[in-house]
Amino acid sequence: MLFRSPETLDDVRPFLFNLFRDPDIIPVPWWLRWLRVPLAWFIAKMRAPASRHGYELIGGGSPQRRYAQSLADKVRLQLSEQQPDTDWRVLVCMRYFAPCADEVVADLQKWDPQDVLLFPLYPQYSTTTTRSSFSDFHRACRDATWHPKVRVIR
């Protein structure tokens, strides 16, 4: 699990919208929840030009997804070498952009593993990263009416 950055310049605004729509990023009282989407839209619209410029300066996008997938492939290879009789799958799950929890849960549900292990790649625990990612994964499981045994590495 990892916080995802825009991979292309066209990803910047949708990424910002998803980010600022998260209740762990901008908490609002229950009676103002109706403002969450318009507020996220407004902030994304206002921040997108400056953020897009920043991504232009580093080559047009973040390599984070490619690095995460490379790491996942290496972890799967190591696990498969250590326990070749086990069907290991290591999926990358990103927060705020693809591959998001809904996509990953759908893939996992088709495979139907006995256990799911969530392994956050954040440098420390934070409500705006780790908790938000865990919450989103559990929400995706509920929405899919799928209830696997989930363990977390902390």
Side-chain angles (χ1 to χ4, degrees):
M1 304 192 91
L2 192 60
F3 186 94
R4 164 91 189 276
S5 297
E7 203 166 352
T8 69
L9 295 176
D10 290 336
D11 294 344
V12 171
R13 191 163 170 190
F15 163 79
L16 291 172
F17 174 75
N18 291 336
L19 173 71
F20 293 116
R21 187 178 59 182
D22 184 347
D24 286 320
I25 299 293
I26 301 179
V28 294
W30 66 269
W31 49 276
L32 288 177
R33 284 189 189 150
W34 62 273
L35 274 176
R36 184 172 314 286
V37 170
L39 181 62
W41 180 87
F42 177 75
I43 295 171
K45 180 179 170 59
M46 300 306 290
R47 291 286 309 142
S51 293
R52 187 179 170 102
H53 177 68
Y55 283 103
E56 285 172 348
L57 294 175
I58 63 167
S62 170
Q64 190 176 36
R65 181 178 180 181
R66 290 189 310 274
Y67 292 159
Q69 188 59 57
S70 176
L71 177 62
D73 294 342
K74 290 173 183 172
V75 168
R76 183 178 187 278
L77 181 64
Q78 286 291 315
L79 291 169
S80 295
E81 287 174 0
Q82 291 176 12
Q83 295 183 0
D85 295 337
T86 303
D87 182 17
W88 294 100
R89 308 237 179 133
V90 180
L91 303 177
V92 174
C93 184
M94 299 284 197
R95 188 71 177 107
Y96 309 119
F97 225 66
C100 62
D102 292 318
E103 296 169 46
V104 171
V105 165
D107 288 346
L108 285 170
Q109 201 171 15
K110 290 175 195 167
W111 179 46
D112 196 27
Q114 292 179 357
D115 294 300
V116 174
L117 179 64
L118 300 182
F119 182 58
L121 297 177
Y122 303 113
Q124 75 282 330
Y125 181 86
S126 169
T127 58
T128 58
T129 55
T130 315
R131 185 179 77 186
S132 176
S133 294
F134 292 161
S135 296
D136 192 47
F137 184 83
H138 290 293
R139 180 217 38 87
C141 288
R142 277 191 314 276
D143 289 355
T145 61
W146 186 55
H147 307 287
K149 177 180 177 189
V150 177
R151 293 184 292 154
V152 175
I153 294 179
R154 294 187 193 262

